[in-house]
Amino acid sequence: MTRVYLADAKSEERAALRLLLLDLRMEVVGEAADWFTTLAQAPVRRTDMLLVDWDLLPNLPNAALDELRKACPAALVIILISHLDARQQAALSAGADAFISKGETPERVAERLRTVAASVRT
């Protein structure tokens, strides 16, 4: 079972993602509403996949994602983006494995999550 950590400041968005992940038979191992909690908790939760809202990252996203990668070297990092624009490319160039637009349909988000989860090392 893929172990997923959710990091998004908005509780309603975390709740929606949690339901979607449970439907996909993925285990939600933790949640955070801020960057520092994410950085502290995700490594101890043996996380396979991190879903992180772009807006939760500190001002230097490259450095933040580098720090997260050092803390969770085996985890895949998926960035959640509110608006598709230059942030999509910035997320990938900052070291994310993938991105998902929050504006996608639940079916499309599920499809993207399944695709990314298929590459999780077990």
Side-chain angles (χ1 to χ4, degrees), residues 11-25:
S11 62
E12 64 276 2
E13 290 181 7
R14 286 195 318 274
L17 284 166
R18 185 181 327 106
L19 289 174
L20 184 62
L21 290 164
L22 293 174
D23 283 346
L24 292 171
R25 301 195 187 286

Side-chain angles (χ1 to χ4, degrees), residues 5-109:
Y5 191 91
L6 297 174
D8 193 309
K10 298 178 183 167
S11 62
E12 64 276 2
E13 290 181 7
R14 286 195 318 274
L17 284 166
R18 185 181 327 106
L19 289 174
L20 184 62
L21 290 164
L22 293 174
D23 283 346
L24 292 171
R25 301 195 187 286
M26 295 182 191
E27 182 182 1
V28 177
V29 295
E31 298 181 22
D34 63 79
W35 176 249
F36 298 105
T37 303
T38 301
L39 202 54
Q41 288 184 358
V44 298
R45 302 296 172 100
R46 297 186 348 251
T47 304
D48 297 316
M49 194 162 62
L50 295 135
L51 296 179
V52 180
D53 182 25
W54 176 259
D55 294 330
L56 206 63
L57 296 173
N59 289 338
L60 301 171
N62 288 12
L65 287 176
D66 283 347
E67 189 175 12
L68 186 60
R69 287 233 181 254
K70 286 177 187 166
C72 303
L76 296 172
V77 178
I78 295 85
I79 299 295
L80 304 168
I81 299 174
S82 297
H83 305 286
L84 286 179
D85 54 22
R87 290 192 280 180
Q88 172 183 339
Q89 182 58 41
L92 294 173
S93 65
D97 293 299
F99 72 93
I100 297 175
S101 171
K102 289 182 175 182
E104 294 284 353
T105 64
E107 295 79 15
R108 179 72 176 130
V109 172

